[in-house]
Amino acid sequence: MTAVATDVAAPDARKAGRWLYVTSVVLLCAWVIVPLYFLLINTLSAPEDVQSYPKAFFPAFDMGSLSFFVTFNGMIDALLNSIMVAGLTMILSIAVGAPAGYALSRFDFPGKELFRLLILLTRAFPLPLLALPLAVMFIRTGLDDTIIGLALVHTTLAIPFAVLITFSLFSGIPMELEEAAWTLGCTRLTAFTKVVLPLILPGIAASAIFAFVISWNEVFAAAVLTIENRTLTAFLLVKLSEAPIHLKFAGGFILVLPALIFIFAVRKYLFAMWGIANR
């Protein structure tokens, strides 16, 4: 009798687990997609329809709010600044984070676990507390209101993610692969570049994506440390603080769109990293 009850309960448990999984995926997708949908609806609606209720399922495709930003003074410069800062942040965070992740996964040294914890705790330190010291230091060194200065700050924010992501991915690659390359005459460097790097490349690209998104969305440091060379987020935050609501929706859409396009363009690397992580 007990065996029969177990056989009956097992399919029910699998079915319940499957429904729970599907429900979780649907709720997660709705959590991400619904705000983007309403942002798009309000961006493409006429100004008088933005606060109307109920909302139309399809927008009126009024481009007035978006066309305002085409001729908005300083808009293109801020967009280029964001792209340059995010690009530098990607390069610097990978240049520093990937070697640190490799060292953590391949070498044992005193305080290794504490070092990993300290890397994670850097993200818990509030950036506003560093605003005044950073501003003073940047003014004294000539890095204030510069692209490279802001990129250094964003790199500091992105490095913990780069280190932890690359550490987990390097740890998933067997050490025996490198040892086999050593026996065939490779040095540690050539074994890394010829064996490990091709396997870890999707993970490196994923780390670069996180660095890009962190830099693109960061606004506090960009608003405090720059005046003339502000990024798009800081520029729109200042310029649209007193703007009508339909322009704020359009500005938010403009901020989100480039990041979505970038992530869509490199989505294959994200899927490849997912495959590595589940081996």
Side-chain angles (χ1 to χ4, degrees):
M1 182 68 68
T2 303
V4 174
T6 302
D7 294 339
V8 173
D12 292 338
R14 286 194 296 269
K15 185 177 180 180
R18 187 161 52 247
W19 275 108
L20 180 62
Y21 174 77
V22 172
T23 303
S24 301
V25 171
V26 171
L27 290 176
L28 181 61
C29 292
W31 178 267
V32 176
I33 294 175
V34 170
L36 293 177
Y37 171 74
F38 280 108
L39 182 64
L40 177 64
I41 290 293
N42 288 310
T43 300
L44 298 180
S45 297
E48 59 272 12
D49 295 334
V50 170
Q51 297 184 358
S52 64
Y53 185 83
K55 294 288 185 184
F57 188 79
F58 293 103
F61 293 99
D62 187 308
M63 306 300 291
S65 298
L66 288 176
S67 62
F68 168 81
F69 290 96
V70 175
T71 56
F72 194 31
N73 186 31
M75 182 75 181
I76 301 300
D77 292 337
L79 176 60
L80 293 177
N81 289 339
S82 286
I83 294 174
M84 288 189 290
V85 171
L88 284 173
T89 301
M90 289 170 54
I91 296 172
L92 293 175
S93 62
I94 295 303
V96 176
Y102 180 81
L104 284 174
S105 67
R106 291 294 189 258
F107 302 106
D108 291 322
F109 52 88
K112 177 180 176 179
E113 296 302 322
L114 178 61
F115 180 69
R116 288 179 55 193
L117 179 61
L118 290 176
I119 291 174
L120 187 61
L121 287 179
T122 57
R123 292 297 295 129
F125 198 82
L127 185 60
L129 292 181
L130 297 176
L132 183 59
L134 277 176
V136 173
M137 183 183 69
F138 275 35
I139 291 173
R140 290 178 177 177
T141 57
L143 291 174
D144 61 303
D145 203 13
T146 61
I147 298 299
I148 184 64
L150 188 57
L152 290 175
V153 176
H154 290 180
T155 300
T156 304
L157 300 176
I159 280 178
F161 292 101
V163 173
L164 296 178
I165 290 174
T166 54
F167 164 74
S168 62
L169 293 171
F170 280 126
S171 299
I173 297 177
M175 185 66 182
E176 289 76 10
L177 291 177
E178 289 184 80
E179 293 174 347
W182 298 344
T183 61
L184 296 175
C186 292
T187 64
R188 181 178 289 275
L189 179 60
T190 55
F192 174 80
T193 56
K194 294 182 178 180
V195 177
V196 179
L197 187 58
L199 296 175
I200 205 68
L201 190 59
I204 297 293
S207 300
I209 294 169
F210 280 104
F212 178 90
V213 173
I214 288 172
S215 176
W216 188 271
N217 292 333
E218 200 284 324
V219 65
F220 183 80
V224 171
L225 300 176
T226 59
I227 298 177
E228 298 294 334
N229 295 312
R230 280 179 170 159
T231 58
L232 189 61
T233 50
F235 177 79
L236 291 180
L237 177 68
V238 173
K239 297 297 183 181
L240 298 182
S241 58
E242 302 296 333
I245 187 66
H246 66 279
L247 292 181
K248 291 182 179 180
F249 276 115
F253 178 77
I254 291 172
L255 286 176
V256 170
L257 185 60
L260 291 178
I261 293 174
F262 177 79
I263 293 175
F264 180 80
V266 297
R267 67 191 184 282
K268 63 179 181 180
Y269 295 108
L270 288 175
F271 296 148
M273 188 194 75
W274 181 259
I276 291 175
N278 286 275
R279 287 177 181 175

Short mmCIF file of all heavy atoms in Angstrom, two decimals, residues 180-235:
data_model
loop_
_atom_site.label_atom_id
_atom_site.label_comp_id
_atom_site.label_asym_id
_atom_site.label_seq_id
_atom_site.Cartn_x
_atom_site.Cartn_y
_atom_site.Cartn_z
N ALA A 180 47.54 19.41 -18.53
CA ALA A 180 47.81 18.68 -19.77
C ALA A 180 48.53 19.56 -20.78
O ALA A 180 49.44 19.11 -21.49
CB ALA A 180 46.50 18.16 -20.36
N ALA A 181 48.14 20.84 -20.84
CA ALA A 181 48.83 21.76 -21.74
C ALA A 181 50.27 21.99 -21.31
O ALA A 181 51.17 22.12 -22.15
CB ALA A 181 48.08 23.09 -21.79
N TRP A 182 50.52 21.99 -20.01
CA TRP A 182 51.90 22.16 -19.52
C TRP A 182 52.77 20.99 -19.97
O TRP A 182 53.93 21.18 -20.34
CB TRP A 182 51.92 22.26 -18.01
CG TRP A 182 51.19 23.45 -17.45
CD1 TRP A 182 50.78 24.55 -18.14
CD2 TRP A 182 50.75 23.63 -16.10
NE1 TRP A 182 50.12 25.42 -17.31
CE2 TRP A 182 50.09 24.89 -16.05
CE3 TRP A 182 50.86 22.87 -14.94
CZ2 TRP A 182 49.53 25.39 -14.88
CZ3 TRP A 182 50.32 23.36 -13.77
CH2 TRP A 182 49.66 24.61 -13.74
N THR A 183 52.21 19.78 -19.90
CA THR A 183 53.00 18.61 -20.29
C THR A 183 53.31 18.60 -21.79
O THR A 183 54.26 17.94 -22.22
CB THR A 183 52.25 17.33 -19.94
OG1 THR A 183 50.98 17.29 -20.65
CG2 THR A 183 51.99 17.24 -18.45
N LEU A 184 52.53 19.35 -22.56
CA LEU A 184 52.78 19.44 -24.01
C LEU A 184 53.69 20.61 -24.38
O LEU A 184 53.83 20.92 -25.56
CB LEU A 184 51.44 19.56 -24.75
CG LEU A 184 50.50 18.37 -24.63
CD1 LEU A 184 49.17 18.65 -25.31
CD2 LEU A 184 51.14 17.11 -25.23
N GLY A 185 54.26 21.26 -23.37
CA GLY A 185 55.23 22.31 -23.64
C GLY A 185 54.72 23.72 -23.47
O GLY A 185 55.47 24.67 -23.72
N CYS A 186 53.48 23.90 -23.07
CA CYS A 186 52.94 25.25 -22.88
C CYS A 186 53.38 25.81 -21.53
O CYS A 186 53.51 25.08 -20.55
CB CYS A 186 51.41 25.24 -22.93
SG CYS A 186 50.72 24.87 -24.56
N THR A 187 53.62 27.09 -21.51
CA THR A 187 53.81 27.78 -20.24
C THR A 187 52.44 28.06 -19.61
O THR A 187 51.40 27.80 -20.22
CB THR A 187 54.57 29.09 -20.45
OG1 THR A 187 53.77 29.97 -21.27
CG2 THR A 187 55.90 28.85 -21.14
N ARG A 188 52.46 28.60 -18.38
CA ARG A 188 51.17 28.93 -17.76
C ARG A 188 50.42 29.96 -18.58
O ARG A 188 49.20 29.89 -18.73
CB ARG A 188 51.40 29.45 -16.33
CG ARG A 188 50.10 29.80 -15.61
CD ARG A 188 50.38 30.26 -14.20
NE ARG A 188 50.80 29.16 -13.35
CZ ARG A 188 49.95 28.35 -12.71
NH1 ARG A 188 48.63 28.50 -12.86
NH2 ARG A 188 50.39 27.39 -11.94
N LEU A 189 51.15 30.92 -19.16
CA LEU A 189 50.51 31.97 -19.95
C LEU A 189 49.92 31.41 -21.23
O LEU A 189 48.76 31.69 -21.57
CB LEU A 189 51.50 33.08 -20.27
CG LEU A 189 50.97 34.23 -21.13
CD1 LEU A 189 49.80 34.92 -20.43
CD2 LEU A 189 52.07 35.24 -21.43
N THR A 190 50.69 30.60 -21.97
CA THR A 190 50.18 30.05 -23.23
C THR A 190 49.06 29.04 -22.96
O THR A 190 48.12 28.94 -23.76
CB THR A 190 51.31 29.40 -24.03
OG1 THR A 190 51.97 28.42 -23.20
CG2 THR A 190 52.31 30.42 -24.49
N ALA A 191 49.15 28.30 -21.87
CA ALA A 191 48.06 27.38 -21.52
C ALA A 191 46.78 28.15 -21.23
O ALA A 191 45.68 27.73 -21.60
CB ALA A 191 48.46 26.53 -20.32
N PHE A 192 46.94 29.31 -20.59
CA PHE A 192 45.77 30.13 -20.30
C PHE A 192 45.16 30.69 -21.58
O PHE A 192 43.94 30.63 -21.78
CB PHE A 192 46.16 31.28 -19.36
CG PHE A 192 45.05 32.26 -19.11
CD1 PHE A 192 44.06 31.98 -18.20
CD2 PHE A 192 45.00 33.46 -19.81
CE1 PHE A 192 43.03 32.89 -17.96
CE2 PHE A 192 43.98 34.37 -19.58
CZ PHE A 192 43.00 34.07 -18.66
N THR A 193 46.00 31.23 -22.47
CA THR A 193 45.48 31.88 -23.68
C THR A 193 44.93 30.86 -24.68
O THR A 193 43.98 31.18 -25.40
CB THR A 193 46.58 32.71 -24.33
OG1 THR A 193 47.72 31.87 -24.61
CG2 THR A 193 47.00 33.85 -23.43
N LYS A 194 45.50 29.66 -24.74
CA LYS A 194 45.09 28.68 -25.75
C LYS A 194 44.05 27.68 -25.26
O LYS A 194 43.31 27.12 -26.08
CB LYS A 194 46.32 27.92 -26.26
CG LYS A 194 47.31 28.78 -27.03
CD LYS A 194 48.48 27.94 -27.54
CE LYS A 194 49.44 28.80 -28.35
NZ LYS A 194 50.61 28.02 -28.88
N VAL A 195 43.98 27.47 -23.95
CA VAL A 195 43.06 26.45 -23.43
C VAL A 195 41.94 27.09 -22.60
O VAL A 195 40.75 26.85 -22.87
CB VAL A 195 43.83 25.42 -22.57
CG1 VAL A 195 42.86 24.41 -21.97
CG2 VAL A 195 44.89 24.71 -23.41
N VAL A 196 42.30 27.88 -21.62
CA VAL A 196 41.31 28.40 -20.69
C VAL A 196 40.52 29.56 -21.28
O VAL A 196 39.29 29.61 -21.18
CB VAL A 196 41.99 28.83 -19.37
CG1 VAL A 196 40.96 29.41 -18.39
CG2 VAL A 196 42.70 27.64 -18.74
N LEU A 197 41.23 30.49 -21.92
CA LEU A 197 40.57 31.70 -22.41
C LEU A 197 39.45 31.42 -23.40
O LEU A 197 38.37 32.03 -23.31
CB LEU A 197 41.60 32.64 -23.02
CG LEU A 197 41.09 34.03 -23.44
CD1 LEU A 197 40.49 34.75 -22.24
CD2 LEU A 197 42.20 34.86 -24.06
N PRO A 198 39.62 30.53 -24.39
CA PRO A 198 38.48 30.25 -25.29
C PRO A 198 37.26 29.70 -24.56
O PRO A 198 36.13 29.97 -24.96
CB PRO A 198 39.06 29.21 -26.26
CG PRO A 198 40.53 29.45 -26.25
CD PRO A 198 40.85 29.84 -24.84
N LEU A 199 37.48 28.94 -23.48
CA LEU A 199 36.35 28.40 -22.73
C LEU A 199 35.68 29.44 -21.86
O LEU A 199 34.46 29.38 -21.63
CB LEU A 199 36.83 27.24 -21.84
CG LEU A 199 37.38 26.01 -22.57
CD1 LEU A 199 37.92 25.00 -21.57
CD2 LEU A 199 36.30 25.36 -23.42
N ILE A 200 36.45 30.41 -21.39
CA ILE A 200 35.93 31.40 -20.47
C ILE A 200 35.44 32.65 -21.19
O ILE A 200 34.85 33.54 -20.56
CB ILE A 200 37.02 31.78 -19.44
CG1 ILE A 200 36.39 32.30 -18.14
CG2 ILE A 200 37.99 32.80 -20.00
CD1 ILE A 200 35.66 31.27 -17.37
N LEU A 201 35.63 32.75 -22.48
CA LEU A 201 35.28 33.96 -23.22
C LEU A 201 33.82 34.38 -23.06
O LEU A 201 33.54 35.56 -22.87
CB LEU A 201 35.63 33.80 -24.69
CG LEU A 201 35.55 35.06 -25.55
CD1 LEU A 201 36.48 36.14 -25.01
CD2 LEU A 201 35.88 34.76 -27.01
N PRO A 202 32.85 33.45 -23.13
CA PRO A 202 31.46 33.88 -22.88
C PRO A 202 31.27 34.50 -21.50
O PRO A 202 30.52 35.46 -21.34
CB PRO A 202 30.66 32.59 -23.04
CG PRO A 202 31.51 31.73 -23.92
CD PRO A 202 32.91 32.03 -23.53
N GLY A 203 31.95 33.94 -20.49
CA GLY A 203 31.85 34.52 -19.15
C GLY A 203 32.47 35.89 -19.06
O GLY A 203 31.97 36.77 -18.37
N ILE A 204 33.59 36.08 -19.77
CA ILE A 204 34.22 37.40 -19.82
C ILE A 204 33.27 38.40 -20.45
O ILE A 204 33.12 39.54 -19.99
CB ILE A 204 35.54 37.34 -20.61
CG1 ILE A 204 36.55 36.42 -19.91
CG2 ILE A 204 36.12 38.73 -20.79
CD1 ILE A 204 37.04 36.93 -18.59
N ALA A 205 32.62 37.98 -21.54
CA ALA A 205 31.66 38.87 -22.20
C ALA A 205 30.49 39.19 -21.28
O ALA A 205 30.01 40.34 -21.26
CB ALA A 205 31.16 38.22 -23.49
N ALA A 206 30.03 38.21 -20.51
CA ALA A 206 28.93 38.47 -19.58
C ALA A 206 29.35 39.44 -18.49
O ALA A 206 28.58 40.33 -18.09
CB ALA A 206 28.46 37.16 -18.97
N SER A 207 30.59 39.31 -18.00
CA SER A 207 31.09 40.26 -17.01
C SER A 207 31.16 41.67 -17.59
O SER A 207 30.85 42.65 -16.92
CB SER A 207 32.48 39.83 -16.53
OG SER A 207 32.45 38.55 -15.94
N ALA A 208 31.56 41.75 -18.86
CA ALA A 208 31.60 43.05 -19.53
C ALA A 208 30.20 43.65 -19.64
O ALA A 208 30.03 44.87 -19.51
CB ALA A 208 32.24 42.91 -20.90
N ILE A 209 29.21 42.81 -19.88
CA ILE A 209 27.82 43.30 -19.97
C ILE A 209 27.39 43.90 -18.64
O ILE A 209 26.78 44.98 -18.58
CB ILE A 209 26.88 42.16 -20.39
CG1 ILE A 209 27.20 41.71 -21.82
CG2 ILE A 209 25.43 42.59 -20.29
CD1 ILE A 209 26.50 40.44 -22.22
N PHE A 210 27.68 43.19 -17.53
CA PHE A 210 27.33 43.72 -16.22
C PHE A 210 28.03 45.05 -15.96
O PHE A 210 27.43 45.99 -15.42
CB PHE A 210 27.71 42.71 -15.13
CG PHE A 210 26.71 41.60 -14.96
CD1 PHE A 210 26.96 40.34 -15.45
CD2 PHE A 210 25.51 41.82 -14.30
CE1 PHE A 210 26.04 39.31 -15.30
CE2 PHE A 210 24.58 40.81 -14.14
CZ PHE A 210 24.85 39.54 -14.65
N ALA A 211 29.29 45.14 -16.35
CA ALA A 211 30.03 46.39 -16.16
C ALA A 211 29.40 47.52 -16.98
O ALA A 211 29.29 48.65 -16.50
CB ALA A 211 31.50 46.19 -16.55
N PHE A 212 29.00 47.20 -18.20
CA PHE A 212 28.35 48.20 -19.04
C PHE A 212 27.06 48.71 -18.41
O PHE A 212 26.82 49.92 -18.34
CB PHE A 212 28.08 47.62 -20.42
CG PHE A 212 27.36 48.55 -21.36
CD1 PHE A 212 28.08 49.39 -22.19
CD2 PHE A 212 25.97 48.57 -21.42
CE1 PHE A 212 27.43 50.26 -23.05
CE2 PHE A 212 25.32 49.44 -22.27
CZ PHE A 212 26.05 50.28 -23.11
N VAL A 213 26.24 47.79 -17.95
CA VAL A 213 24.94 48.17 -17.37
C VAL A 213 25.14 48.98 -16.09
O VAL A 213 24.43 49.97 -15.84
CB VAL A 213 24.09 46.92 -17.11
CG1 VAL A 213 22.81 47.27 -16.36
CG2 VAL A 213 23.75 46.23 -18.42
N ILE A 214 26.11 48.57 -15.26
CA ILE A 214 26.38 49.32 -14.02
C ILE A 214 26.80 50.75 -14.35
O ILE A 214 26.32 51.71 -13.75
CB ILE A 214 27.47 48.60 -13.20
CG1 ILE A 214 26.91 47.31 -12.60
CG2 ILE A 214 28.01 49.51 -12.09
CD1 ILE A 214 27.96 46.45 -11.94
N SER A 215 27.71 50.89 -15.31
CA SER A 215 28.16 52.23 -15.69
C SER A 215 27.04 53.04 -16.32
O SER A 215 26.89 54.23 -16.03
CB SER A 215 29.35 52.12 -16.66
OG SER A 215 29.75 53.39 -17.11
N TRP A 216 26.26 52.42 -17.17
CA TRP A 216 25.19 53.15 -17.87
C TRP A 216 24.13 53.66 -16.91
O TRP A 216 23.61 54.77 -17.07
CB TRP A 216 24.56 52.23 -18.91
CG TRP A 216 23.59 52.95 -19.80
CD1 TRP A 216 22.26 53.13 -19.59
CD2 TRP A 216 23.89 53.63 -21.03
NE1 TRP A 216 21.70 53.86 -20.61
CE2 TRP A 216 22.69 54.18 -21.52
CE3 TRP A 216 25.06 53.79 -21.77
CZ2 TRP A 216 22.61 54.88 -22.70
CZ3 TRP A 216 24.99 54.51 -22.96
CH2 TRP A 216 23.78 55.04 -23.42
N ASN A 217 23.81 52.87 -15.88
CA ASN A 217 22.73 53.24 -14.96
C ASN A 217 23.19 54.12 -13.80
O ASN A 217 22.35 54.71 -13.12
CB ASN A 217 22.07 51.98 -14.39
CG ASN A 217 21.33 51.19 -15.44
OD1 ASN A 217 20.86 51.76 -16.42
ND2 ASN A 217 21.21 49.89 -15.24
N GLU A 218 24.50 54.20 -13.56
CA GLU A 218 24.99 54.96 -12.41
C GLU A 218 24.76 56.45 -12.62
O GLU A 218 25.06 56.99 -13.68
CB GLU A 218 26.48 54.68 -12.21
CG GLU A 218 26.99 55.00 -10.82
CD GLU A 218 27.16 56.48 -10.56
OE1 GLU A 218 27.56 57.21 -11.51
OE2 GLU A 218 26.89 56.93 -9.44
N VAL A 219 24.25 57.11 -11.61
CA VAL A 219 23.89 58.52 -11.76
C VAL A 219 24.51 59.40 -10.68
O VAL A 219 24.79 60.57 -10.92
CB VAL A 219 22.36 58.69 -11.79
CG1 VAL A 219 21.75 58.28 -10.45
CG2 VAL A 219 21.96 60.11 -12.13
N PHE A 220 24.73 58.84 -9.48
CA PHE A 220 25.18 59.68 -8.36
C PHE A 220 26.57 60.25 -8.62
O PHE A 220 26.79 61.47 -8.54
CB PHE A 220 25.17 58.89 -7.06
CG PHE A 220 25.55 59.72 -5.86
CD1 PHE A 220 24.63 60.55 -5.25
CD2 PHE A 220 26.83 59.67 -5.36
CE1 PHE A 220 24.98 61.32 -4.16
CE2 PHE A 220 27.19 60.44 -4.27
CZ PHE A 220 26.26 61.26 -3.66
N ALA A 221 27.53 59.38 -8.90
CA ALA A 221 28.90 59.85 -9.14
C ALA A 221 28.96 60.75 -10.36
O ALA A 221 29.69 61.75 -10.38
CB ALA A 221 29.85 58.66 -9.31
N ALA A 222 28.18 60.41 -11.40
CA ALA A 222 28.17 61.22 -12.62
C ALA A 222 27.63 62.62 -12.35
O ALA A 222 28.10 63.60 -12.93
CB ALA A 222 27.35 60.53 -13.70
N ALA A 223 26.66 62.73 -11.46
CA ALA A 223 26.09 64.04 -11.15
C ALA A 223 26.98 64.86 -10.24
O ALA A 223 27.01 66.09 -10.33
CB ALA A 223 24.71 63.87 -10.51
N VAL A 224 27.74 64.19 -9.35
CA VAL A 224 28.57 64.90 -8.38
C VAL A 224 29.92 65.30 -8.97
O VAL A 224 30.41 66.40 -8.74
CB VAL A 224 28.77 64.04 -7.12
CG1 VAL A 224 29.80 64.66 -6.18
CG2 VAL A 224 27.45 63.86 -6.39
N LEU A 225 30.52 64.40 -9.77
CA LEU A 225 31.91 64.58 -10.20
C LEU A 225 32.03 65.24 -11.57
O LEU A 225 33.15 65.49 -12.02
CB LEU A 225 32.63 63.23 -10.23
CG LEU A 225 32.71 62.50 -8.88
CD1 LEU A 225 33.36 61.14 -9.05
CD2 LEU A 225 33.46 63.33 -7.85
N THR A 226 30.93 65.47 -12.26
CA THR A 226 31.00 66.08 -13.59
C THR A 226 30.04 67.26 -13.67
O THR A 226 29.00 67.28 -13.00
CB THR A 226 30.67 65.07 -14.69
OG1 THR A 226 29.35 64.55 -14.48
CG2 THR A 226 31.67 63.93 -14.72
N ILE A 227 30.40 68.20 -14.53
CA ILE A 227 29.54 69.36 -14.79
C ILE A 227 29.32 69.52 -16.29
O ILE A 227 28.19 69.53 -16.77
CB ILE A 227 30.15 70.64 -14.20
CG1 ILE A 227 30.28 70.52 -12.67
CG2 ILE A 227 29.30 71.86 -14.56
CD1 ILE A 227 30.96 71.71 -12.02
N GLU A 228 30.41 69.65 -17.03
CA GLU A 228 30.33 69.82 -18.48
C GLU A 228 30.26 68.48 -19.21
O GLU A 228 29.63 68.38 -20.26
CB GLU A 228 31.53 70.62 -18.98
CG GLU A 228 31.61 72.03 -18.42
CD GLU A 228 30.46 72.92 -18.88
OE1 GLU A 228 29.91 72.64 -19.96
OE2 GLU A 228 30.12 73.87 -18.15
N ASN A 229 30.92 67.47 -18.68
CA ASN A 229 31.02 66.16 -19.35
C ASN A 229 30.14 65.13 -18.67
O ASN A 229 30.58 64.03 -18.34
CB ASN A 229 32.47 65.68 -19.38
CG ASN A 229 33.35 66.58 -20.22
OD1 ASN A 229 32.99 66.92 -21.35
ND2 ASN A 229 34.48 66.97 -19.69
N ARG A 230 28.90 65.46 -18.44
CA ARG A 230 27.98 64.55 -17.76
C ARG A 230 27.53 63.43 -18.69
O ARG A 230 27.40 63.62 -19.89
CB ARG A 230 26.77 65.31 -17.23
CG ARG A 230 27.06 66.03 -15.92
CD ARG A 230 25.90 66.79 -15.40
NE ARG A 230 26.17 67.26 -14.04
CZ ARG A 230 25.55 68.26 -13.46
NH1 ARG A 230 24.60 68.91 -14.11
NH2 ARG A 230 25.84 68.61 -12.23
N THR A 231 27.28 62.28 -18.08
CA THR A 231 26.72 61.17 -18.83
C THR A 231 25.23 61.40 -19.07
O THR A 231 24.64 62.33 -18.50
CB THR A 231 26.93 59.84 -18.08
OG1 THR A 231 26.31 59.94 -16.78
CG2 THR A 231 28.41 59.53 -17.91
N LEU A 232 24.63 60.54 -19.87
CA LEU A 232 23.23 60.73 -20.23
C LEU A 232 22.31 60.66 -19.02
O LEU A 232 21.35 61.42 -18.91
CB LEU A 232 22.83 59.68 -21.27
CG LEU A 232 21.46 59.86 -21.92
CD1 LEU A 232 21.39 61.17 -22.67
CD2 LEU A 232 21.17 58.69 -22.87
N THR A 233 22.59 59.74 -18.09
CA THR A 233 21.73 59.61 -16.91
C THR A 233 21.76 60.88 -16.06
O THR A 233 20.72 61.39 -15.65
CB THR A 233 22.17 58.41 -16.07
OG1 THR A 233 23.58 58.48 -15.84
CG2 THR A 233 21.84 57.10 -16.78
N ALA A 234 22.97 61.37 -15.79
CA ALA A 234 23.08 62.59 -14.97
C ALA A 234 22.53 63.80 -15.72
O ALA A 234 21.89 64.68 -15.12
CB ALA A 234 24.54 62.81 -14.59
N PHE A 235 22.76 63.86 -17.01
CA PHE A 235 22.27 64.98 -17.82
C PHE A 235 20.74 65.05 -17.78
O PHE A 235 20.16 66.12 -17.54
CB PHE A 235 22.77 64.81 -19.25
CG PHE A 235 22.26 65.86 -20.21
CD1 PHE A 235 22.84 67.12 -20.25
CD2 PHE A 235 21.20 65.58 -21.06
CE1 PHE A 235 22.36 68.10 -21.13
CE2 PHE A 235 20.73 66.53 -21.95
CZ PHE A 235 21.31 67.79 -21.98
#
